[in-house]
Amino acid sequence: MEEGELVPFQLTVARIEKAYKDAVSQGLKVKGIVLINPNNPLGDIYTPELLQDILEFAHKHQLHVLCDEIYALSVFDKASKFQSVLTLPSLPDPARTYVMWGFSKDFCISGFRCGVLITKNDRLKSFLNLASFYGAVPAPVHNMLKVIIEDTEWLDNVFFPTNQQRMAQAYKLCTDSLERLGLQYHPSKAGFFVWADFSPYLKTKNVENEIELFKQFVSAGVYIVPGTEMYAIETGWFRIIFTLPEELIVKAFERIERVIKAVEKS
């Protein structure tokens, strides 16, 4: 944790400003900020106040801000609430603020490959209108998605509540399993993942040993993503996807347990 942070991995404007200054000092030209909210892999949800502060910082430095909100409807923590950047009272720089969303995560239909970009940037809209000729979503997919989103009663009263309840149950099973094994993790509120600390099972905390542990997990038949692949500064953290049937989660942790016990004995 850095000064001013209340929890590990907390996003703050001070952290963003430090990264910005570090990049500039290296001679890099910073063009924008990519903000994933809810966050992947942490499962954090950013407050409207933080979003506003980030946008103000970006406006001050003439930076573009791309807000990826693809997990917006995948909030399973009942005490938490997601608010889109579009709900803010005002955007400091509307022409440099963009919001992305897609059906693949929230609707569990990744194969449909349909996303949305919301922007007030006329130059970008002009470009996208031309580029869409080469990557348009097929009309049958459009029609199927239209039928789905028009059934708001089913979505609001059946699909989303059921999906979020199942996510909460799977998350609890996953975190209970981590606690049983004595592993620390970052509490998640949204998304499909838990950020778990396997650093006690690294011979030394470096990228090589993290990748070696990853290979051991793969050999045991379980695939969890090493933090190195997600640009984590600290080694030893892994992203675990928990949105699976209960029996598969149980089986996965049996395999994880075999690996870490083998590491302890070596």
Side-chain angles (χ1 to χ4, degrees):
M1 290 173 55
E2 296 189 0
E3 185 178 353
E5 295 182 1
L6 300 177
V7 295
F9 305 107
Q10 181 180 357
L11 180 66
T12 63
V13 174
R15 184 183 282 271
I16 293 175
E17 184 170 18
K18 180 179 183 301
Y20 174 78
K21 289 180 177 178
D22 287 347
V24 172
S25 69
Q26 296 173 36
L28 301 174
K29 186 172 183 179
V30 181
K31 302 289 287 185
I33 299 170
V34 178
L35 185 65
I36 306 174
N37 182 38
N39 183 271
N40 175 8
L42 300 177
D44 287 341
I45 300 173
Y46 300 131
T47 65
E49 293 77 17
L50 176 59
L51 294 174
Q52 188 71 48
D53 289 345
I54 292 172
L55 292 178
E56 295 287 355
F57 172 83
H59 180 47
K60 175 183 175 181
H61 296 281
Q62 297 185 324
L63 301 175
H64 298 268
V65 180
L66 177 60
C67 302
D68 183 348
E69 299 184 352
I70 200 165
Y71 298 101
L73 301 173
S74 296
V75 179
F76 56 83
D77 180 62
K78 292 184 178 180
S80 302
K81 182 181 179 182
F82 167 81
Q83 286 187 247
S84 170
V85 71
L86 297 173
T87 67
L88 297 178
S90 64
L91 298 178
D93 194 347
R96 289 193 179 95
T97 305
Y98 320 94
V99 175
M100 287 173 43
W101 179 82
F103 287 87
S104 61
K105 309 301 184 183
D106 290 336
F107 282 79
C108 309
I109 47 176
S110 57
F112 277 44
R113 315 303 295 173
C114 181
V116 177
L117 175 65
I118 301 171
T119 177
K120 291 189 176 182
N121 187 309
D122 291 333
R123 290 182 63 192
L124 179 59
K125 285 191 286 187
S126 177
F127 166 77
L128 291 174
N129 284 335
L130 295 173
S132 65
F133 282 105
Y134 302 97
V137 177
V141 173
H142 274 174
N143 290 334
M144 285 186 281
L145 293 175
K146 175 177 178 291
V147 171
I148 292 173
I149 63 176
E150 284 179 341
D151 194 350
T152 55
E153 181 177 353
W154 177 74
L155 289 174
D156 293 340
N157 298 314
V158 179
F159 177 75
F160 288 127
T162 301
N163 191 42
Q164 291 160 5
Q165 180 184 26
R166 290 175 177 174
M167 290 172 64
Q169 291 170 345
Y171 172 75
K172 186 176 187 307
L173 177 58
C174 180
T175 54
D176 284 350
S177 300
L178 288 168
E179 291 173 9
R180 179 178 59 81
L181 296 176
L183 292 164
Q184 301 294 314
Y185 61 90
H186 182 80
S188 182
K189 302 177 181 66
F192 310 154
F193 20 74
V194 176
W195 191 235
D197 183 11
F198 286 85
S199 62
Y201 298 98
L202 302 184
K203 295 176 183 177
T204 55
K205 293 183 68 173
N206 57 43
V207 173
E208 290 75 18
N209 284 322
E210 182 182 276
I211 296 301
E212 177 58 32
L213 182 59
F214 164 70
K215 291 178 179 178
Q216 289 178 273
F217 286 135
V218 172
S219 296
V222 61
Y223 190 103
I224 56 178
V225 180
T228 299
E229 296 298 315
M230 310 200 78
Y231 303 97
I233 296 175
E234 296 182 29
T235 52
W237 290 84
F238 284 72
R239 189 189 70 173
I240 301 174
I241 300 293
F242 61 79
T243 45
L244 294 164
E246 179 178 338
E247 61 272 16
L248 292 183
I249 297 175
V250 171
K251 178 64 70 176
F253 275 97
E254 289 174 354
R255 296 175 179 180
I256 288 173
E257 184 173 11
R258 285 201 298 271
V259 170
I260 61 178
K261 284 187 175 180
V263 171
E264 286 177 332
K265 292 178 181 179
S266 63

